[in-house]
Amino acid sequence: IQAIIKQVSTLNTNSRYIHPNGVLLAKRLLSTLPPPLTKVFYVNSGSEANDLALRLARAYSNSKNCIFVDCAYHGHTLSTLEVSPYKFDHSKEYGAGRVTSMQEQPNGYKTPGKHLYKVPCPDTYRGLNKSHSDVEKEEGKEHDYAYYVEEGCRYFVEEKNEKVGAFIIEGGMSVGGVILPPQSYLKRCAKAIRAAGGLYIADEVQTGFGRLGSCFWAFQYNGSDVVPDIVTVGKPFGNGLPLAAVITTKEVSDAFESMGVEYFNTFGGNPVSCAAGLAVLDEIEKKGLQHHALITGQYLISRFEDLKQSLPIIGDVRGCGLFVGLDLIKNNTTLEPATKECSFLCSILKEKYAVLTSIDGPFNNVLVIKPPMCFSKTDVDTFVSAFEAAVVNDLSKADLGNVSKTPT
């Protein structure tokens, strides 16, 4: 707060006038990322960042073909909506008779254009290749979600004789139900995309800046050493102020510059927002918030794993650090989603216990836990106790007949 107050009382202006804060923040941001990510574009939101990332990929590859994951959400601009099944699968904007109608892919999925290709979400609990299914445990089949991305590349290259422009994926898929990619998934996907002429875009808008604890960026989860061609950041970057960015390589930046139209964003990277960004990075470093997220998250997950033994509504506890999801179920064999129960619990936790959570997942049955990075073990105990009380004392007596989805 003090950093913001100091800067706003001194000067705030549009980004046509260069200010040291923007340069200092770019250097600090790049120090957290591996080479050859050396170029920073400032924007105001995650949607803007992903929109620009797609534009950069198109300039580099000369292709608008894009592969993306089912249940993904990348923003609310026209280009990001097209790669966000979380939105377009449920929107009348893309219905029959509309200007943009849905097109069927060879794999059966439908998307808002022939240049778009959707692949299954790499959900190892209840997805196509769920790990606990004996049917799917053939050699090479379990967790083989990268195959679908490779198949998409073959479709564009071999069947359509076209290049792929980009593969975009969230490092941690929140609206997909707190999904973290299986081991080697990103490496195989990036290899296939690049061989098809495209770029790997890592959307870190929700899960970047140390939230997973084990890594600073979610694309590094599971020890992944693949480096994206483009990284987008947002939400926590300005801690409430409008600040987001696109980070890429010189090669991609040069390709974009060669298009002949300069990039300008009036308030992207303004002095006040950049002051906030610098303060955020200071706080993460000085207070050890990444390590704190790891330790607190391990405790949080262990508490819910213990609670799972006595509360059968908890089907799966997943995530890392302070990015955790509880997949709530009605039946441990069929994994029938406990959708109404989840909505009820989310509401009662807020109204009765003063605990805020959110709901995500394709069946709206995943209770999502993404607390502030300062969340403590004492806070974990308070939350777990409240959840247990809500299930045992409140849900057991609730009439779920009129329960609708709780908006979060």
Side-chain angles (χ1 to χ4, degrees):
I1 293 174
Q2 293 307 312
I4 296 168
I5 292 173
K6 181 180 179 181
Q7 185 57 53
V8 79
S9 63
T10 305
L11 172 73
N12 196 27
T13 183
N14 70 64
S15 59
R16 192 172 292 281
Y17 303 100
I18 306 301
H19 189 276
N21 282 359
V23 178
L24 292 171
L25 181 57
K27 287 182 177 179
R28 289 285 299 280
L29 183 60
L30 290 175
S31 72
T32 69
L33 288 156
L37 295 167
T38 58
K39 300 296 180 180
V40 178
F41 295 82
Y42 287 120
V43 291
N44 301 286
S45 69
S47 293
E48 272 191 80
N50 285 326
D51 188 276
L52 178 57
L54 291 168
R55 188 177 165 196
L56 290 172
R58 185 178 299 189
Y60 174 85
S61 66
N62 194 29
S63 171
K64 64 179 181 178
N65 295 329
C66 188
I67 298 175
F68 51 89
V69 173
D70 193 17
C71 303
Y73 176 62
H74 297 290
H76 57 74
T77 66
L78 280 174
S79 67
T80 55
L81 278 175
E82 286 188 342
V83 295
S84 298
Y86 172 71
K87 291 295 185 182
F88 73 63
D89 274 341
H90 310 285
S91 173
K92 292 179 181 178
E93 291 178 77
Y94 302 100
R98 303 294 298 176
V99 174
T100 304
S101 59
M102 301 294 276
Q103 308 287 320
E104 188 164 345
Q105 301 174 190
N107 63 7
Y109 282 125
K110 291 184 177 181
T111 64
K114 293 181 180 179
H115 61 293
L116 303 168
Y117 193 95
K118 181 168 71 171
V119 296
C121 176
D123 180 351
T124 58
Y125 179 67
R126 61 165 70 249
L128 279 176
N129 297 342
K130 54 193 180 188
S131 60
H132 57 271
S133 169
D134 291 332
V135 177
E136 298 296 346
K137 283 190 176 178
E138 306 165 21
E139 186 177 352
K141 183 70 173 177
E142 185 184 6
H143 295 185
D144 194 14
Y145 283 100
Y147 165 79
Y148 301 107
V149 177
E150 294 164 346
E151 188 180 53
C153 291
R154 283 191 291 270
Y155 166 68
F156 282 118
V157 173
E158 297 177 11
E159 294 188 31
K160 299 189 72 177
N161 196 29
E162 297 174 355
K163 291 196 294 185
V164 175
F167 168 62
I168 184 169
I169 186 170
E170 300 156 272
M173 289 154 268
S174 182
V175 297
V178 184
I179 306 299
L180 291 169
Q183 193 105 29
S184 78
Y185 174 82
L186 292 177
K187 187 172 231 176
R188 282 179 56 191
C189 292
K191 181 180 178 181
I193 291 297
R194 288 164 179 164
L199 301 178
Y200 159 37
I201 302 172
D203 180 344
E204 292 280 344
V205 171
Q206 293 210 48
T207 49
F209 295 99
R211 175 162 289 277
L212 296 192
S214 63
C215 46
F216 199 80
W217 302 107
F219 67 78
Q220 299 165 326
Y221 175 71
N222 247 339
S224 173
D225 59 357
V226 63
V227 178
D229 300 293
I230 302 174
V231 176
T232 60
V233 302
K235 293 190 191 302
F237 194 15
N239 198 31
L241 265 72
L243 180 64
V246 179
I247 308 97
T248 190
T249 66
K250 183 179 186 302
E251 188 178 8
V252 174
S253 177
D254 286 349
F256 184 54
E257 185 180 22
S258 73
M259 295 297 102
V261 179
E262 68 170 12
Y263 174 77
F264 175 68
N265 190 306
T266 305
F267 286 108
N270 68 76
V272 173
S273 290
C274 285
L278 286 164
V280 165
L281 292 175
D282 284 342
E283 288 291 294
I284 292 172
E285 184 177 329
K286 290 175 183 177
K287 296 185 177 179
L289 292 182
Q290 179 184 337
H291 182 69
H292 177 79
L294 176 64
I295 301 303
T296 308
Q298 289 172 339
Y299 181 63
L300 172 65
I301 289 172
S302 70
R303 286 296 314 272
F304 273 110
E305 287 287 3
D306 291 341
L307 198 59
K308 180 181 172 183
Q309 307 308 311
S310 59
L311 297 181
I313 191 173
I314 303 176
D316 191 33
V317 182
R318 56 178 177 260
C320 187
L322 293 177
F323 179 63
V324 178
L326 306 180
D327 196 310
L328 304 185
I329 60 173
K330 292 184 178 182
N331 184 293
N332 194 46
T333 302
T334 65
L335 305 187
E336 180 183 356
T339 300
K340 288 191 174 184
E341 291 82 353
C342 187
S343 187
F344 174 83
L345 288 170
C346 183
S347 294
I348 201 73
L349 282 168
K350 176 177 71 74
E351 295 165 4
K352 184 175 179 180
Y353 300 95
V355 173
L356 296 177
T357 57
S358 58
I359 299 172
D360 272 321
F363 304 103
N364 295 312
N365 71 307
V366 179
L367 199 69
V368 179
I369 307 160
K370 294 184 294 186
M373 296 277 278
C374 57
F375 203 67
S376 67
K377 289 185 177 180
T378 301
D379 295 326
V380 170
D381 291 335
T382 300
F383 173 58
V384 174
S385 296
F387 179 86
E388 183 176 20
V391 172
V392 174
N393 300 329
D394 302 299
L395 181 61
S396 60
K397 303 170 187 174
D399 178 6
L400 300 178
N402 296 318
V403 171
S404 57
K405 180 189 174 185
T406 300
T408 60

